[in-house]
Amino acid sequence: MDGNLMEVVSEVFGVDEDDITPDTSPENLDNWDSMNHLKLVTAIEEEFSINLSMDEVEAIVDVKSLSDIVNNHAK
Amino acid sequence: MDKETKKNIKSTPDWNALYSIIKELDYTSLNTREIELVNRQIEKTRANADLKVAYLSNHTIDTLAPYVSVISAMHGVNVESYIAPYDQYFQELLSETSGTILFQPDIIHLDLSVRGLAPLICEKFLSLDDALKLAEQERIISLISQLANLAIKQTNAYLLVSNFLQPAYPQGGIADLKQQQSETEWYSRLNLALIGSLRNNNRVFLVDKNNVLARVGKENVTDSKMLYLAKMELNDVGLQALASELNRYIIAIAGKTKKNLVLDLDNTLWGGVIGEDGVDGIKIGKGYPEGEIYYALQTYIKNLKQRGIILTLASKNNLEDVEEAFEKRTEMPLGLSDFATKRINWDPKHTNLVSMAKGLSIGIDSFVFLDDNPVERALVKSTLKEVVVPDLPKDPSTYLNILMRSPYFEKLFLTEEDAHKTEQYAANAQREDTREEIGDMSTFLSSLGTKVTIEIAKKENIQRVHQLFSKTNQFNVTTKRHGVPEIENFIENESFDLFSISVTDNFGDLGMIGVVLVEIKDDIAYIDSFIMSCRAMGRAIETVIMNVIKEKYLPAAYARQLVAEYIPTAKNVPVKSFFDDQGFDLVEKGDNGRMRYELKSKAKGAESLECIGIEIYVGE
């Protein structure tokens, strides 16, 4: 998985990169609340210079889906 | 922000260490994550908040708080925040046990949007009849007034109210302005009415959000996606702009406003080098591009003087050349008399700044140093860490914007005193010269023709009184930073006597230079604060004031006592022995150098001390 993406996730949620797995999601990470979800979107958009659509934002349910969406933009 | 900086920030052990790193950063270049990172560290290292800010809003504004905290931290103010639940602004102010009330904020920021308050206006303005448009406007104004009154009643906080963002595009398009009740007009009138309804309350301040967001562009401050997803009306660009505006209020409220702008001359106040280009060769004045740059800059700086910022010069030049330039180049907005003092010589600038601070009796931490030369800036920065040294790019046409963006010159009020500040400090410098000429202290004091007026402070003095409480560091025995709400109470409450002291002399009007606050409890009159502006120091004026206080509170026939305290700070060493000198008895030495004094009626020391050549007026 892209190193930058892990860095973004870890910085937004304030947790170690090592503690983040593809399965990390709002269900198992306390800091992943609705407000931090928005911060994550903004941070991802800044980092990869992309614009996520509303559909994409709502489709982010865990780190894996986030990574897929970002990779899709890279193509 | 590079990896190294991030790592350093994360490992800072305390607030001071954190501040020393982040004060060098440019907040406009930080992204969301970096704001988060710094904000987290501010919270982690916080021992004491300087100010507590509560945010109340009817749209999602949670992410404003980190921006404010980070920007303010970069300016040396530690801000703790509380974000009220979405759309709960009324309950939060009304309930005695709401999060806002329990938080005991120093500042409440109220930011409401028309979208939430009056959706009809946003959705179908064109089909509304005029009476309804007006009714909606009145409803909003009266709601804001009601909220302001509640905030004043329920808290001791300053209230900052955002005005309303006029949409980037009116619903009627360009024809809107031809309508009888146009949307453009509706928003203008709404914001105009707000100014009127909030102007006269000294604890309520309007934040011109509509203008602040226009600075960065109304199309750039909203992200529709975030609006629909989370009712977030402002994106990061908008939040940053609003936060940097709130920071201006925070700096003023925290008393971090700078007093002195030190200016270089060559290539800073005019184009070219006077020693090389000659008096006629320097570029300043209207009519040609380079001259216009410096004309605009000098004009702005002259306005800063009007706002009460002292201007001074530090330039490596021959004094005769500089005098000739100001004399001959009459197209210059600034004249030599606009500067309170000057150091035109070849000494290192940091040496000159230190001697200037001494001469003006103001702290060097209230200096801003403007110089085009990066070497001079680096030298001042490294030797005098407390001085604010803005980085200036190569292009001089950017200097003006840099000054305008700086929050360091902000004050909550402009007073009569402000416009004459430089003259007052300049007169002080003259008095210093006279003192040197005369040599003998008592002859010097008599020659000044000092007249001191002591009277009970009135409501219309609140702004100046507040300035003295918030900005006086040296002649301040307890350094209690009473805010406007407390001052209002001192004036109204009968158990307090708040005196204002004004001085004039042969050299000019010094204006209101001191306040004394006495709290009366039974037989004790407690001197809560004894404050004098540094420009009135060293003239026995404090003794005159104390004599009046003694006479008032210790009448010969009545057994009462005066109680006073000295609370040491890094700055108030000049008053360390003040109460000893005034004949008070030291009765208790407390922790951290606190000292408690008493003086009883008929005690030997309660007699008036001699003051030479000072006339005194005691008003009501």
Side-chain angles (χ1 to χ4, degrees), chain B residues 292-540:
Chain B
E292 296 268 7
I293 293 175
Y294 295 98
Y295 182 87
L297 185 66
Q298 285 203 13
T299 304
Y300 185 77
I301 291 172
K302 186 138 181 153
N303 283 329
L304 282 180
K305 183 195 158 209
Q306 195 73 20
R307 280 160 59 173
I309 306 302
I310 304 163
L311 307 180
T312 54
L313 286 176
S315 161
K316 289 183 172 167
N317 257 313
N318 292 323
L319 180 59
E320 303 77 46
D321 292 347
V322 169
E323 284 173 344
E324 193 188 343
F326 277 102
E327 197 177 310
K328 278 197 175 166
R329 300 298 298 268
T330 47
E331 63 271 51
M332 275 202 259
L334 288 167
L336 261 193
S337 63
D338 287 321
F339 301 95
T341 185
K342 48 191 183 297
R343 296 290 183 277
I344 316 280
N345 55 42
W346 303 89
D347 295 339
K349 295 215 174 177
H350 57 92
T351 321
N352 279 325
L353 261 57
V354 170
S355 97
M356 217 182 247
K358 218 174 148 205
L360 293 166
S361 351
I362 55 178
I364 200 136
D365 59 352
S366 59
F367 282 32
V368 177
F369 176 69
L370 203 69
D371 196 313
D372 68 295
N373 186 335
V375 180
E376 299 287 5
R377 291 201 302 265
L379 203 58
V380 168
K381 247 189 195 179
S382 65
T383 47
L384 305 170
K385 296 212 172 350
E386 313 90 326
V387 176
V388 170
V389 185
D391 279 326
L392 297 182
K394 278 214 151 67
D395 179 1
S397 68
T398 59
Y399 297 177
L400 175 59
N401 268 326
I402 288 170
L403 270 190
M404 287 197 288
R405 285 196 192 117
S406 168
Y408 279 121
F409 303 117
E410 293 292 359
K411 299 175 175 186
L412 292 179
F413 309 99
L414 294 184
T415 64
E416 266 299 297
E417 315 275 334
D418 288 320
H420 307 294
K421 197 141 275 182
T422 290
E423 282 80 0
Q424 288 163 345
Y425 277 89
N428 231 13
Q430 269 182 36
R431 288 182 196 102
E432 287 292 317
D433 294 346
T434 315
R435 185 202 300 254
E436 275 171 24
E437 274 167 33
I438 295 177
D440 165 30
M441 190 67 184
S442 56
T443 320
F444 162 68
L445 287 179
S446 328
S447 76
L448 292 175
T450 308
K451 296 184 179 69
V452 178
T453 305
I454 301 180
E455 55 201 337
I456 295 287
K458 301 180 195 71
K459 271 221 145 153
E460 55 266 35
N461 306 132
I462 282 184
Q463 297 172 359
R464 174 61 182 157
V465 170
H466 174 246
Q467 268 188 350
L468 285 164
F469 271 117
S470 61
K471 288 171 67 187
T472 314
N473 298 317
Q474 295 184 64
F475 203 110
N476 195 338
V477 290
T478 56
T479 321
K480 294 184 183 171
R481 302 292 193 200
H482 297 302
V484 170
E486 286 102 336
I487 297 169
E488 281 175 346
N489 178 40
F490 299 147
I491 292 178
E492 280 162 17
N493 189 330
E494 291 204 337
S495 40
F496 291 94
D497 285 338
L498 180 64
F499 300 94
S500 71
I501 295 102
S502 317
V503 171
T504 64
D505 67 16
N506 294 339
F507 294 90
D509 187 354
L510 282 80
M512 190 198 292
I513 50 83
V515 285
V516 176
L517 176 65
V518 179
E519 184 182 4
I520 303 130
K521 262 190 214 149
D522 304 324
D523 289 340
I524 291 173
Y526 168 69
I527 302 179
D528 174 279
S529 298
F530 195 115
I531 294 172
M532 217 170 68
S533 158
C534 38
R535 59 176 197 260
M537 279 163 63
R539 305 175 50 171

Side-chain angles (χ1 to χ4, degrees), chain B residues 213-277:
Chain B
L213 296 179
R215 284 177 195 154
V216 283
K218 288 184 182 178
E219 280 192 296
N220 298 319
V221 297
T222 319
D223 180 336
S224 313
K225 176 178 60 200
M226 292 303 195
L227 175 61
Y228 305 137
L229 276 170
K231 295 201 161 49
M232 232 175 112
E233 296 198 356
L234 295 178
N235 66 10
D236 290 287
V237 176
L239 291 171
Q240 191 198 80
L242 183 56
S244 68
E245 186 73 359
L246 293 181
N247 179 50
R248 291 173 176 267
Y249 292 82
I250 286 170
I251 284 190
I253 289 169
K256 298 276 181 183
T257 307
K258 303 296 172 187
K259 294 174 180 168
N260 178 17
L261 175 58
V262 189
L263 295 150
D264 170 50
L265 285 172
D266 292 334
N267 286 319
T268 301
L269 279 191
W270 55 58
V273 177
I274 201 163
E276 291 166 18
D277 304 305

